[in-house]
Amino acid sequence: MTYQPSDMADAPQGATMDRILQEISAVGRMLEGMNSRMLSLTEETKSMRLGIAGFQSRVTTLEQRITAVETPATLTEDRDQELIYLHSKVVDLEDRSRRDNIRLLGFPEEIEGADVQSFLKNILPQLTGLAFNPPLEFQRSHRLGPKHREGANNPRPIIACFLRHTQARQLLQKA
């Protein structure tokens, strides 16, 4: 609104004052509306700052984790030593698990019937003439490999894993 002195001369002085007061009051209401919008914008800005700070914290944590993964660790040497140790331990365990195994050759297919262990408990003392005390015990015993077709001349070997390595040694010495 612009000030025009000619209007004021024509209108009564009270009406002009009322009009000015109305305009001031309208401007005051506009300022109040702007003030409330500014407060809401301020609150939104604060919440956005908090959200951004949270994201920055998470990004910093992720960057640290990625850096830790990407950089070559000093644990590589320890890990290599541990792998060497574990490998030697596996080899040792494999050797120990085979140590008490004996391959028995020449027994015709299916002579053992359904129970290989019972067959071996009976036949080995008879064949060697050894009296085993305590009686022979096996961890496991079975034929090696897939079953041959009928008419095959070479029977599969029997693998017997003795429960006591002394009995296996006695049997091997006698054989």
Side-chain angles (χ1 to χ4, degrees):
M1 188 178 234
T2 57
Y3 173 72
Q4 298 175 350
S6 61
D7 289 343
M8 290 196 69
D10 295 342
Q13 193 174 12
T16 305
M17 285 300 262
D18 285 342
R19 196 168 139 218
I20 290 173
L21 285 174
Q22 287 176 351
E23 286 184 24
I24 289 174
S25 138
V27 168
R29 284 191 298 275
M30 276 186 0
L31 287 175
E32 286 176 8
M34 290 171 76
N35 188 30
S36 68
R37 281 188 239 139
M38 284 296 280
L39 288 175
S40 70
L41 285 174
T42 303
E43 290 299 318
E44 284 182 40
T45 305
K46 284 181 185 177
S47 69
M48 285 181 174
R49 277 191 213 153
L50 290 174
I52 289 171
F55 284 129
Q56 285 175 335
S57 171
R58 290 176 67 190
V59 166
T60 302
T61 303
L62 289 174
E63 285 175 343
Q64 290 171 351
R65 289 176 64 189
I66 289 171
T67 302
V69 169
E70 286 178 344
T71 56
T74 57
L75 299 176
T76 304
E77 186 176 309
D78 294 339
R79 187 176 45 213
D80 290 345
Q81 289 176 353
E82 185 177 3
L83 283 174
I84 290 169
Y85 170 74
L86 291 174
H87 181 269
S88 66
K89 196 168 186 173
V90 166
V91 168
D92 183 50
L93 288 172
E94 286 176 348
D95 287 346
R96 285 178 193 261
S97 71
R98 288 190 205 114
R99 188 176 297 158
D100 298 330
N101 286 355
I102 294 182
R103 290 174 57 141
L104 304 168
L105 305 172
F107 289 104
E109 287 284 332
E110 299 183 6
I111 193 173
E112 71 276 4
D115 189 8
V116 178
Q117 289 186 10
S118 295
F119 171 73
L120 292 175
K121 283 180 188 179
N122 294 329
I123 197 73
L124 290 177
Q126 290 175 10
L127 292 174
T128 60
L130 293 172
F132 293 100
N133 188 14
L136 289 176
E137 290 184 273
F138 303 95
Q139 289 180 351
R140 63 189 169 277
S141 59
H142 57 87
R143 288 276 184 177
L144 185 63
K147 193 170 189 174
H148 293 305
R149 294 176 301 193
E150 287 189 35
N153 293 342
N154 54 346
R156 298 175 293 158
I158 295 175
I159 301 293
C161 181
F162 287 79
L163 186 63
R164 294 177 187 82
H165 69 279
T166 54
Q167 290 178 340
R169 215 177 314 135
Q170 281 178 337
L171 189 65
L172 288 174
Q173 287 172 352
K174 184 68 175 179

